[in-house]
Amino acid sequence: MPEPHDPETSGSHGMGTPDIPALSPEIWRRPEGLPGTVPVGHSRAEQAANQIARVAAGFKAGERIGSKDEIRSMCSVSVGTVNEAIKLAQERGVITSRPGPGGGIFAADPSPLSRMNGWFRDAAGDLAALEESIQIRNALAPLLVDEVLATITDADQASLELLLTHVDRTREARDIAGFIWAVWNVHARFAELGRSQLLDSLYLSIMDVGTSHLRARLEADSDGGNTHVTVYFDGLAEVAADFVHALGRRDADAAVDALRRTDPTMTLRPPAR
């Protein structure tokens, strides 16, 4: 079995890898579990922080939301949990906390980056968020493909073909985690070939939403690690092959089409007749 591509030691452009958790070398080589960094399950503090964020969104920046006790009552959590939740909400930039008379919890105006991070945090269990992320990815597909085709070399293409053989092997073995990782590695390698870290990181973050959503669905239907849903390998494997082969032909239209057909959750649906 070929070793997974190592973004730290290869790539013809010397641009490095987008700085997102899913591309760390340790996670890249992880043999079990599905890729995706969006949290599937939320702790009580995280759930309360999300509830605080939703409430804060209904207030103008600087408006008082309530006291800490009122927030705790609203969230129905313990004192320790509400303290942790408030800390999380502050770190996300959605509230501020002021002590003393006249103090309490106040709405803040989070930065665009904080809003985006909050959206990604809640995306795994939200089908509407998955569909929205795919729409954005589809709009970006021509930019992504053109960026890579402008610089791709024969050695780059060979690395993609090697990763594609791993997709085929894991499909034949019916290895769900290995298969999704193999497809992920193809797209992560593709992203590495681009020159825009912002564009490529956004692309992989959207891919991350799909794999995290898939992980959430599989874990929701599992019992003791054994999934009770049928997984369909062929459709996603064929799309990955179409994508790599289109890049090899330098066929931008076909590559864009294959990229737009890529959706990790298609493994949960039977192929269309």
Side-chain angles (χ1 to χ4, degrees), residues 161 163-173 179 182 237-238 241:
E161 297 282 354
L163 291 170
L164 189 59
T165 65
H166 191 47
V167 173
D168 291 336
R169 292 181 183 183
T170 52
R171 172 176 62 168
E172 292 171 1
F179 175 73
E238 290 170 5

Side-chain angles (χ1 to χ4, degrees), residues 63-110:
E63 283 188 333
R64 188 175 186 273
I65 300 173
S67 67
K68 184 181 293 186
D69 284 341
E70 288 169 335
I71 296 296
R72 184 179 67 82
S73 177
M74 176 190 74
C75 297
S76 300
V77 294
S78 66
V79 172
T81 299
V82 78
N83 287 338
E84 185 178 352
I86 288 172
K87 181 180 178 182
L88 286 171
Q90 285 181 287
E91 290 173 350
R92 297 171 186 177
V94 298
I95 63 167
T96 59
S97 176
R98 303 176 197 167
I105 309 302
F106 296 81
D109 185 14

Side-chain angles (χ1 to χ4, degrees), residues 157-201:
Q157 182 63 30
S159 69
L160 288 168
E161 297 282 354
L162 181 62
L163 291 170
L164 189 59
T165 65
H166 191 47
V167 173
D168 291 336
R169 292 181 183 183
T170 52
R171 172 176 62 168
E172 292 171 1
R174 289 321 201 226
D175 175 2
I176 298 174
F179 175 73
I180 298 300
W181 268 110
V183 174
W184 172 274
N185 285 348
V186 168
H187 288 271
R189 174 60 177 145
F190 166 75
E192 186 195 15
L193 298 177
R195 292 187 177 277
S196 170
Q197 286 200 357
L198 176 60
L199 179 61
D200 300 329
S201 293

Side-chain angles (χ1 to χ4, degrees), residues 31-266:
E32 63 271 335
L34 295 177
T37 59
V38 179
V40 174
H42 295 286
S43 68
R44 289 287 291 158
E46 289 170 327
Q47 292 174 2
N50 290 340
Q51 186 175 356
I52 293 169
R54 288 192 293 270
V55 171
F59 288 77
K60 294 181 180 179
E63 283 188 333
R64 188 175 186 273
I65 300 173
S67 67
K68 184 181 293 186
D69 284 341
E70 288 169 335
I71 296 296
R72 184 179 67 82
S73 177
M74 176 190 74
C75 297
S76 300
V77 294
S78 66
V79 172
T81 299
V82 78
N83 287 338
E84 185 178 352
I86 288 172
K87 181 180 178 182
L88 286 171
Q90 285 181 287
E91 290 173 350
R92 297 171 186 177
V94 298
I95 63 167
T96 59
S97 176
R98 303 176 197 167
I105 309 302
F106 296 81
D109 185 14
S111 68
L113 182 59
S114 294
R115 293 193 191 99
M116 184 175 70
N117 287 339
W119 184 90
F120 277 114
R121 273 192 298 272
D122 295 332
D126 187 344
L127 181 60
L130 173 63
E131 293 172 348
E132 181 182 356
S133 69
I134 289 175
Q135 289 178 347
I136 295 170
R137 189 277 314 277
N138 290 349
L140 294 175
L143 288 175
L144 290 158
V145 169
D146 287 347
E147 181 189 52
V148 169
L149 289 184
T151 57
I152 192 171
T153 67
D154 290 343
D156 295 331
Q157 182 63 30
S159 69
L160 288 168
E161 297 282 354
L162 181 62
L163 291 170
L164 189 59
T165 65
H166 191 47
V167 173
D168 291 336
R169 292 181 183 183
T170 52
R171 172 176 62 168
E172 292 171 1
R174 289 321 201 226
D175 175 2
I176 298 174
F179 175 73
I180 298 300
W181 268 110
V183 174
W184 172 274
N185 285 348
V186 168
H187 288 271
R189 174 60 177 145
F190 166 75
E192 186 195 15
L193 298 177
R195 292 187 177 277
S196 170
Q197 286 200 357
L198 176 60
L199 179 61
D200 300 329
S201 293
L202 178 58
Y203 165 58
L204 282 183
S205 294
I206 290 171
M207 183 79 172
D208 190 87
V209 172
T211 53
S212 295
H213 189 87
L214 172 62
R215 189 174 80 247
R217 292 276 300 277
L218 290 174
E219 290 184 0
D221 291 304
S222 67
D223 178 20
N226 297 315
T227 182
H228 300 296
V229 298
T230 302
V231 177
Y232 302 90
F233 292 82
D234 293 348
L236 186 57
E238 290 170 5
V239 170
D242 289 346
F243 182 54
V244 171
H245 296 157
L247 293 173
R249 299 192 307 271
R250 308 301 192 262
D251 186 338
D253 290 340
V256 168
D257 175 70
L259 188 57
R260 286 173 171 168
R261 287 187 284 125
T262 300
D263 175 4
T265 65
M266 69 192 298

